[in-house]
Amino acid sequence: MEQQAYGDRQTGTVRTFTTRTEADVLAMTLIAHGIPAHVYESGSQHPSLDWVEGIKVVVAADDLERALQLLAGLEGTTTG
């Protein structure tokens, strides 16, 4: 579980993708389940770096565990 700070907010990465479309789908799914989510790209002038650095779906640190449990349930797995 990767955690980082954006401004004065603590956030956690739910998953990192290589395409914006995949990240958007997960973010929309989390939002539909009441978990505010954001997609963060590398911010580089070179979009090809997104493939290397990944496109992250992040949530507030307080929502991270719930988001991971939801994702596990959607994938048919359980968290320990």
Side-chain angles (χ1 to χ4, degrees):
M1 259 184 281
E2 180 182 336
Q3 291 194 4
Q4 59 272 358
Y6 287 100
D8 59 350
R9 290 183 5 180
Q10 288 294 318
T11 62
T13 300
V14 179
R15 172 84 43 98
T16 302
F17 294 97
T18 56
T19 69
R20 174 73 191 226
T21 301
E22 292 172 307
D24 284 338
V25 169
L26 177 57
M28 288 186 286
T29 301
L30 293 170
I31 291 167
H33 284 87
I35 303 170
H38 303 278
V39 175
Y40 286 100
E41 298 180 65
S42 68
S44 169
Q45 294 287 338
H46 305 283
S48 61
L49 288 179
D50 289 335
W51 185 82
V52 175
E53 296 177 12
I55 301 168
K56 297 178 181 183
V57 176
V58 300
V59 299
D62 294 344
D63 292 329
L64 183 58
E65 187 60 35
R66 195 173 86 166
L68 292 172
Q69 288 175 350
L70 174 65
L71 183 59
L74 293 172
E75 293 177 333
T77 61
T78 59
T79 57

